[in-house]
Amino acid sequence: MQIAFGHEHKQMTQFGLALSGGGFRASLYHLGVIRFLHDANLLQNISHITAVSGGSVTAAHLILNWDRYNGDPDSFDEAARELVQFVQKDVRNKIVRRFPLASGLNILRQSVRMGSKRSLTRAGMLESDYRRHLYGDVGMLDLPATPHVFLLSTNLNEGSLCAFHQGGMLMQRRRANGDLHFEQIDAGLTTVATAVAASSAFPGFFPPMELSAANLGARESDFRKLSLTDGGIYDNIGLRMFHYLRGKELRNQYHADELKRIFVSNAGATFKIRSEGRAGGLVVTALRSTDILLDRVNQLEDEAFRGFENAVFFPITQTVESEFAALNLPRSIQKQIALIRTDMDHFSDLEVDLLVRHGYAVAKSICEEKLSDELATPVKQVTWSPLKQSRSTSPSLPKLPQSEPASRTASPMIQAGRELRGSSSRSVFSTLFDGRDWSSYFWIPVLLVVLLAPPMVLYRTMKKSRTQSQVLQAIQSTSPVYNQIIRLLSFPGPPEIATPPVEIVDQIQGLQTTGFDAIMDHRIIDLRKWDGTEQKGIAPYMYARVKLLRQEDSVDGHLILSSDVCATAPMVNSLSPNLDFVFRKTTPVDGNCAWEMDFDLSEVPVGKEVDLILEGQLAPDAASSSGGQAEFEMQIVMDTNITQVWLLMPQGRAYNRFEITSFPIDQPGERKTVIPNSIVNLPAGSMVSFQLINPKEHHRYQCKWNWTD
């Protein structure tokens, strides 16, 4: 569909209107500018409109309700209130609340090979809101032929401009040499909601809107899929599009060169500097980056087109005389209006009121200053608000006398200034809940779980820890062996061994256990500081507690533990109270020596039990590792009813296939697999415990396992 302007249009003074981006701040500011143009009888002569992002929201509603906006003031007010009501619906947070659910549905659809659905994406949900609450299912082809509207978007595929209009879509394409040219694409199925969503899906929150040729009713030869994002990325003022429309490529088709004036409503503000040094989280950083990008684009466009022919700028940063300003605000507070956030969340009545009034006042002030001779109808009205009950029922608030104030409450002017300071900050999480939105109630139990789960887990963990501590204390009080295990685990490594007095002898007496039976042999082997490598020198620690029973045939009541050959005498000490012992070793010969511990148990009555408690450092080669396998050896030197062994395994290393073999001390080749009574692997593989029933005396027991790391 080609729109051309005939001779009759040339006889009428025509104007252009450019509506910049800037979220709902821009939408409301533009509404005030448009109302002034209506009151000055200029709106009806607008023949071309370019709009970006938040400006597209207003432009699409304007062209869709062109007769109402150009009707009497009551008709204009009625149409404007529809736009204000939409702006106050908290669109962004509504999408935030629904997006996790929609995303889950999309994932479910993909899992059953149904493909993702655009209406379940954030950009698609924005499009659905536009369709449901503002534009309906009206297509771009259904819009009035005039004025000609161009809703601008940024084509991420080619890094160029894309303009939706009544005749379809103007897409900037890149030639092989890098030059840009426009290509008219028939996109007859494009709806107003789709075009506005593509123009206003600001990056940082909305992903690009992905549209296929079928979605827009275009041919696949034109494009397969488009990725469109906020038009402000390419042209945040909308004036560059007028530059293209006036160029030789599009001039004859759209006659934009015949425009007497182009009114540029620019809601881009001076960039707000953050004084705090915090970087912010992921969402805040993304939104902040978008602000920086759009501000930079706005600066470049403003510099490039500041002297654009016949352009009249209505910048939101302009201040006006207080009697014409919204709520009679002084210039210092008017500057706060330009800093209201560029967002799509809920805008309060005060924010709506001030933005619209400010747009009206700025347009009136500049037109009366620069275009007074061209205004066919002088505008007597000072300001205008779309709200039924405005905060100010008169053009200006009465000024308080300079004498002592009659009230200690802040004036409406001061109250407005304070609220405006808060309006400049974008709220991400504090405004998510809305009692009027069902999705808020869906997240209440989720939020309760998130908030209450950590304290509950912490409480249960502390309770469990307290219970375990009580159990451990009870176990410690009933078993000195368990008490020693807990003591060892309370420290990163084994304790130091006190060295007993050593008696040097020429010859030792040798092993002597006659007359004593071992009822229970408890052993704790601490390998935590043994690194499991082939390096030597990291000796394991051993704690042994043997319950002995003295028989009638004991020799002199002495028990002697000994070793005939060793490279160095181990560091061994007795912890048995009231048991005297002598530690002897021979003079080293060829680097080897023998040692023995002689315990005097003559004072122990026959038939009585006694605890023999030893601790010491074993020989470095007691544990070894090679080829991904490790082993530890221990020796049973006397008959024992039960031997219980705890191995504190090396820290930070995983293992499996734990097995035990035994062989006589003097016949290492006679190995047999031993099946213990029980094996317990405690949490994280940090400790292994096994029990041997009636182990054989004068035997060595070898524990083997494989490393898995």
Side-chain angles (χ1 to χ4, degrees):
M1 177 178 177
Q2 301 289 327
I3 304 296
F5 296 91
H7 178 74
E8 65 277 12
H9 295 289
K10 295 182 181 181
Q11 302 303 317
M12 180 181 65
T13 301
Q14 298 176 1
F15 301 105
L17 177 62
L19 303 179
S20 76
F24 286 163
R25 177 182 76 187
S27 303
L28 294 169
Y29 178 77
H30 300 328
L31 184 60
V33 172
I34 292 170
R35 178 54 188 249
F36 169 76
L37 297 177
H38 168 276
D39 292 347
N41 286 330
L42 297 173
L43 183 62
Q44 61 185 348
N45 291 341
I46 298 292
S47 61
H48 295 71
I49 300 175
T50 63
V52 185
S53 191
S56 294
V57 177
T58 302
H61 195 258
L62 171 64
I63 188 67
L64 190 61
N65 299 275
W66 185 249
D67 291 338
R68 296 167 68 195
Y69 276 106
N70 280 281
D72 57 48
D74 290 339
S75 297
F76 189 105
D77 292 350
E78 182 183 5
R81 278 194 290 270
E82 293 177 3
L83 181 62
V84 171
Q85 289 172 3
F86 178 78
V87 167
Q88 293 191 305
K89 283 185 177 295
D90 197 19
V91 174
R92 187 252 289 166
N93 286 328
K94 180 182 175 183
I95 293 174
V96 170
R97 290 188 287 268
R98 286 164 169 73
F99 175 66
L101 298 175
S103 181
L105 289 176
N106 248 347
I107 293 174
L108 182 61
R109 288 175 59 90
Q110 292 173 357
S111 66
V112 295
R113 299 177 180 267
M114 293 179 63
S116 60
K117 194 174 182 181
R118 191 172 84 241
S119 62
L120 297 178
T121 65
R122 278 168 288 172
M125 294 167 73
L126 177 63
E127 177 187 359
S128 298
D129 272 351
Y130 285 145
R131 179 179 295 109
R132 186 179 302 112
H133 301 295
L134 202 57
Y135 308 123
D137 201 27
V138 177
M140 292 294 293
L141 286 174
D142 298 325
L143 295 178
T146 56
H148 210 104
V149 64
F150 298 86
L151 305 181
L152 308 183
S153 183
T154 302
N155 180 359
L156 293 180
N157 299 68
E158 300 191 36
S160 58
L161 192 64
C162 180
F164 292 97
H165 63 104
Q166 290 99 324
M169 181 169 58
L170 277 175
M171 185 184 298
Q172 230 177 12
R173 312 302 290 260
R174 292 185 182 273
R175 294 188 175 96
N177 61 1
D179 292 343
L180 295 172
H181 73 286
F182 278 97
E183 182 178 323
Q184 174 66 41
I185 295 177
D186 293 329
L189 297 183
T190 305
T191 64
V192 175
T194 301
V196 176
S199 177
S200 59
F202 64 90
F205 179 75
F206 292 103
M209 174 169 276
E210 295 186 348
L211 299 172
S212 66
N215 296 143
L216 303 181
R219 297 171 302 181
E220 289 195 5
S221 59
D222 293 326
F223 62 87
R224 293 189 60 187
K225 182 173 287 188
L226 282 178
S227 293
L228 302 178
T229 190
D230 196 298
I233 301 299
Y234 195 92
D235 174 12
N236 197 42
I237 299 179
L239 197 53
R240 180 173 291 273
M241 189 63 202
F242 274 109
H243 171 70
Y244 292 139
L245 291 174
R246 284 180 168 182
K248 62 180 181 179
E249 186 179 4
L250 302 176
R251 181 189 306 158
N252 295 330
Q253 185 175 352
Y254 299 104
H255 305 284
D257 57 324
E258 301 173 3
L259 299 176
K260 182 177 182 179
R261 296 285 182 190
I262 297 177
F263 299 113
V264 183
S265 180
N266 184 6
T270 303
F271 187 69
K272 182 184 177 185
I273 300 174
R274 291 196 313 198
S275 57
E276 70 272 14
R278 294 176 298 148
L282 179 63
V283 176
V284 174
T285 300
L287 294 176
R288 180 66 171 174
S289 300
T290 302
D291 291 341
I292 296 172
L293 175 63
L294 295 181
D295 175 71
R296 185 58 184 146
V297 172
N298 196 66
Q299 290 179 28
L300 294 174
E301 293 297 293
D302 184 63
E303 293 171 3
F305 296 103
R306 187 174 299 164
F308 195 75
E309 183 182 1
N310 297 333
V312 180
F313 289 84
F314 303 142
I316 195 173
T317 54
Q318 179 80 23
T319 58
V320 297
E321 296 297 332
S322 59
E323 59 266 25
F324 299 109
L327 298 186
N328 197 19
L329 296 178
R331 293 180 185 271
S332 59
I333 299 183
Q334 287 181 50
K335 294 178 180 179
Q336 298 285 339
I337 298 176
L339 297 177
I340 292 177
R341 67 201 175 280
T342 56
D343 208 336
M344 301 180 79
D345 60 347
H346 171 76
F347 276 61
S348 67
D349 285 351
L350 176 65
E351 292 166 338
V352 171
D353 200 33
L354 292 181
L355 282 166
V356 174
R357 286 174 178 272
H358 190 60
Y360 190 100
V362 170
K364 176 180 172 63
S365 173
I366 291 176
C367 283
E368 289 183 348
E369 177 186 351
K370 298 182 178 181
L371 306 176
S372 58
D373 296 338
E374 300 180 19
L375 292 178
T377 304
V379 180
K380 296 181 180 180
Q381 185 169 333
V382 177
T383 187
W384 171 81
S385 173
L387 301 180
K388 288 185 177 181
Q389 294 181 343
S390 174
R391 289 173 178 256
S392 174
T393 57
S394 60
S396 62
L397 292 176
K399 296 183 179 180
L400 294 174
Q402 299 298 319
S403 59
E404 185 71 20
S407 173
R408 293 183 179 272
T409 60
S411 67
M413 178 182 65
I414 297 300
Q415 294 177 22
R418 288 172 178 171
E419 187 170 335
L420 281 177
R421 292 187 62 183
S423 299
S424 63
S425 301
R426 179 183 282 117
S427 300
V428 178
F429 299 106
S430 60
T431 58
L432 282 181
F433 180 81
D434 185 353
R436 298 167 297 179
D437 186 6
W438 66 265
S439 59
S440 295
Y441 297 98
F442 174 85
W443 292 109
I444 287 178
V446 177
L447 184 61
L448 289 176
V449 171
V450 172
L451 293 178
L452 297 180
M456 289 295 295
V457 171
L458 180 61
Y459 169 75
R460 291 183 177 181
T461 302
M462 293 178 62
K463 184 177 179 181
K464 183 178 180 180
S465 177
R466 187 164 52 249
T467 302
Q468 289 177 340
S469 177
Q470 293 172 349
V471 171
L472 289 176
Q473 290 177 2
I475 291 175
Q476 284 180 270
S477 63
T478 57
S479 172
V481 177
Y482 293 149
N483 183 37
Q484 181 64 19
I485 293 175
I486 295 171
R487 285 181 56 196
L488 287 173
L489 293 177
S490 301
F491 297 95
E496 294 184 0
I497 310 300
T499 304
V502 179
E503 181 180 322
I504 304 299
V505 297
D506 293 332
Q507 186 177 0
I508 62 173
Q509 298 181 39
L511 181 67
Q512 182 176 305
T513 60
T514 305
F516 295 93
D517 287 339
I519 300 174
M520 176 68 78
D521 183 358
H522 294 280
R523 302 191 188 190
I524 305 171
I525 312 299
D526 191 348
L527 302 175
R528 290 177 298 164
K529 288 300 181 181
W530 178 63
D531 61 5
T533 66
E534 298 181 9
Q535 299 176 356
K536 305 298 182 181
I538 305 177
Y541 168 85
M542 182 194 71
Y543 172 91
R545 190 180 191 98
V546 184
K547 185 174 290 295
L548 299 174
L549 176 66
R550 186 178 180 186
Q551 303 290 355
E552 294 183 359
D553 56 352
S554 60
V555 180
D556 300 329
H558 281 257
L559 174 72
I560 301 177
L561 304 177
S562 67
S563 178
D564 293 333
V565 180
C566 65
T568 58
M571 295 178 61
V572 184
N573 195 13
S574 172
L575 301 178
S576 305
N578 304 319
L579 288 182
D580 296 330
F581 74 97
V582 177
F583 189 88
R584 307 185 187 96
K585 74 172 183 176
T586 61
T587 303
V589 177
D590 298 329
N592 294 322
C593 67
W595 64 272
E596 66 182 9
M597 295 184 74
D598 185 352
F599 291 90
D600 184 1
L601 305 179
S602 59
E603 299 296 328
V604 177
V606 174
K608 294 293 184 179
E609 297 177 353
V610 63
D611 286 335
L612 181 63
I613 308 171
L614 303 173
E615 71 168 353
Q617 262 186 5
L618 303 182
D621 58 355
S624 61
S625 178
S626 177
Q629 189 176 68
E631 61 182 40
F632 167 77
E633 289 187 359
M634 65 179 187
Q635 183 175 335
I636 304 293
V637 298
M638 59 187 303
D639 286 336
T640 307
N641 293 339
I642 298 175
T643 296
Q644 183 76 46
V645 180
W646 288 268
L647 288 179
L648 307 186
M649 303 300 286
Q651 295 176 339
R653 300 206 64 179
Y655 61 89
N656 62 10
R657 298 186 62 183
F658 191 88
E659 61 181 34
I660 304 172
T661 58
S662 70
F663 57 89
I665 294 176
D666 55 354
Q667 297 178 358
E670 301 294 327
R671 294 178 179 269
K672 293 182 180 180
T673 300
V674 176
I675 300 177
N677 178 262
S678 63
I679 294 181
V680 180
N681 288 283
L682 296 180
S686 60
M687 184 162 62
V688 173
S689 175
F690 61 89
Q691 190 178 78
L692 303 174
I693 305 297
N694 297 321
K696 297 181 179 180
E697 64 174 337
H698 303 296
H699 272 64
R700 286 187 183 275
Y701 284 80
Q702 188 177 67
C703 306
K704 291 185 178 182
W705 61 89
N706 293 335
W707 301 118
T708 60
D709 53 6

